[in-house]
Amino acid sequence: MQALAELKEQIRQALPELDVVIGWQQGYDALHTSPLFIRSEEDLEKLVVNEFCVVNPASYLREMRGGKKVGLVLKGCDSRSVIQLVQEDLLKLEDLTIFGFGCNGVLNHAKLQARFGDIGYIKSIENSGASVTIEVDENKETVPFSELCADKCLTCSYPNTLQCTHFAGEESSKEAESEQDKALEEFEKLSMEERFSFWQDQMRRCIRCYACRNACPMCVCKDHCLANSRETKWLSEEVDVQNNFMFQLIHVMHLTGRCVECGECERACPMDIPIMLLRRKMAGVVRDVFAYNAGTNAEETPPLMCFKVEEPTIEERH
Ligand code: SF4
Ligand code: SF4
Ligand code: SF4
């Protein structure tokens, strides 16, 4: 892949000035990559860029405060979390070196498993952008990419890394399949009672492992999270529907206007709870009310971080 060779060369040249560059390496099987912390040219050889590079390397920035010079290899969606952190004055773009590329989407494990069963070993995988050909054991199948990709890739409008220091390869021309969030639209056709009952059932399954919070690149107050605090009476450590619900609603509210819809929270959930429905709902509300897409313009002040006597995007109601 041309972008990978260029990325490696760009990182190789920048490495002497950086403490670490975070990217991806091959994981324990063909379906997984794991984070790669590049500190030497030897580490750099392990770098991979493919449709299994799902983890957002920017999630590690929370643990890397303290004057470190950090480089990041970021997909378009990942770069939005960095920009949003810059907008919130939690990071400075000039302290980071961002290596970008054109992304054609990542694959979703649950969809792969639903299609091919438990895949232990993949002989080969080819992605043309429109379709993906996978060879598993004796079977070789070609499936439209949109049937196997992460949901976020279906509506992605930012496949090219935003505000990067270096860009490798050609820009992606991938377009959103649809602007409609069909799953959310279907959910909103349900009555209030049905929706409430749906979330009660989901929250009954939540084991409050906090994987959704820990995977979120925007959850920056993790060490002081009221979910773990003994100081407030907002919720207890009890794992039950009521407290789980309260935790999720607090999480969603803390992310309103900040959530970059990277999907890491839902992907990290071991119980497959569709918590992105809540986040996408609120992101849609912020888009409708403030015409604001989180993490797309480092110069912009997020709407919930400023006060305007007259909100230009809200029609006065009499
Ligand atoms: S959401 Fe966009 S940038 Fe992110 S993985 Fe999918 S296509 Fe790539
Ligand atoms: S990751 Fe899933 S199970 Fe764990 S706290 Fe979040 S919603 Fe609950
Ligand atoms: S709440 Fe979920 S989708 Fe939103 S920024 Fe955090 S991990 Fe990404």
Side-chain angles (χ1 to χ4, degrees):
M1 188 197 211
Q2 183 60 24
L4 180 61
E6 281 183 34
L7 272 173
K8 283 188 178 178
E9 189 48 36
Q10 289 162 353
I11 297 172
R12 194 184 316 280
Q13 288 186 18
L15 205 48
E17 305 296 322
L18 300 172
D19 291 300
V20 66
V21 178
I22 313 173
W24 307 273
Q25 63 184 322
Q26 189 58 54
Y28 61 91
D29 69 9
L31 287 174
H32 293 84
T33 61
S34 55
L36 172 67
F37 295 84
I38 304 164
R39 295 190 174 84
S40 66
E41 292 209 4
E42 212 174 41
D43 296 334
L44 179 56
E45 288 315 309
K46 298 180 202 155
L47 182 72
V48 297
V49 177
N50 60 35
E51 37 294 289
F52 295 107
C53 294
V54 284
V55 171
N56 179 354
S59 305
Y60 293 93
L61 288 171
R62 292 173 311 205
E63 273 80 34
M64 297 203 128
R65 291 187 203 133
K68 288 247 188 294
K69 289 184 181 160
V70 180
L72 296 153
V73 186
L74 300 176
K75 308 182 288 294
C77 51
D78 304 334
S79 65
R80 287 180 63 190
S81 52
V82 172
I83 292 173
Q84 181 68 25
L85 290 168
V86 169
Q87 289 177 259
E88 295 177 17
D89 215 12
L90 293 165
L91 282 180
K92 298 224 175 301
L93 262 186
E94 53 268 30
D95 292 340
L96 300 168
T97 303
I98 298 175
F99 301 92
F101 61 98
C103 174
N104 288 321
V106 292
L107 292 169
N108 175 291
H109 285 175
K111 291 181 187 173
L112 274 168
Q113 256 168 5
R115 178 89 196 195
F116 297 100
D118 264 336
I119 308 169
Y121 173 70
I122 291 186
K123 269 191 194 160
S124 67
I125 179 160
E126 287 161 37
N127 177 15
S128 74
S131 66
V132 57
T133 303
I134 301 183
E135 199 176 353
V136 184
D137 299 326
E138 299 311 311
N139 297 330
K140 192 166 183 176
E141 267 193 70
T142 301
V143 184
F145 190 77
S146 56
E147 285 182 20
L148 295 179
C149 71
D151 287 348
K152 63 178 177 177
C153 303
L154 293 171
T155 50
C156 174
S157 306
Y158 304 97
N160 295 299
T161 312
L162 301 170
Q163 305 243 199
C164 51
T165 327
H166 304 277
F167 191 90
E170 286 179 12
E171 287 200 355
S172 168
S173 52
K174 184 184 175 312
E175 286 179 7
E177 299 261 318
S178 155
E179 298 211 338
Q180 307 290 103
D181 188 335
K182 294 196 182 97
L184 186 57
E185 280 177 8
E186 284 304 309
F187 181 75
E188 292 194 323
K189 286 182 190 156
L190 301 177
S191 68
M192 280 298 181
E193 289 73 24
E194 286 168 323
R195 293 186 217 179
F196 189 58
S197 155
F198 171 85
W199 282 115
Q200 275 184 317
D201 288 343
Q202 297 300 329
M203 289 303 115
R204 202 166 282 122
R205 298 195 301 115
C206 171
I207 54 174
R208 200 103 71 79
C209 61
Y210 299 131
C212 49
R213 178 199 65 181
N214 295 350
C216 176
M218 303 310 302
C219 265
V220 287
C221 52
K222 189 178 68 168
D223 297 341
H224 307 281
C225 179
L226 64 76
N228 300 116
S229 167
R230 298 287 180 277
E231 298 297 321
T232 63
K233 301 275 186 282
W234 285 93
L235 76 169
S236 82
E237 290 285 290
E238 200 98 10
V239 179
D240 57 22
V241 173
Q242 196 178 3
N243 281 291
N244 295 351
F245 218 155
M246 190 67 174
F247 163 63
Q248 279 302 334
L249 291 180
I250 291 170
H251 195 217
V252 170
M253 293 315 290
H254 281 187
L255 269 300
T256 298
R258 307 178 63 236
C259 171
V260 292
E261 298 170 80
C262 68
E264 282 293 273
C265 48
E266 185 170 297
R267 188 187 62 77
C269 176
M271 304 306 290
D272 291 329
I273 298 175
I275 48 179
M276 278 301 289
L277 267 184
L278 296 168
R279 281 123 182 99
R280 293 203 304 265
K281 170 70 189 170
M282 294 313 286
V285 169
V286 172
R287 257 192 299 276
D288 289 348
V289 176
F290 297 108
Y292 175 77
N293 254 341
T296 54
N297 179 358
E299 305 299 320
E300 205 173 2
T301 307
L304 300 184
M305 292 183 77
C306 56
F307 172 75
K308 294 179 191 139
V309 176
E310 298 288 341
E311 283 288 351
T313 51
I314 300 180
E315 271 183 46
E316 213 176 313
R317 294 182 188 103
H318 296 284

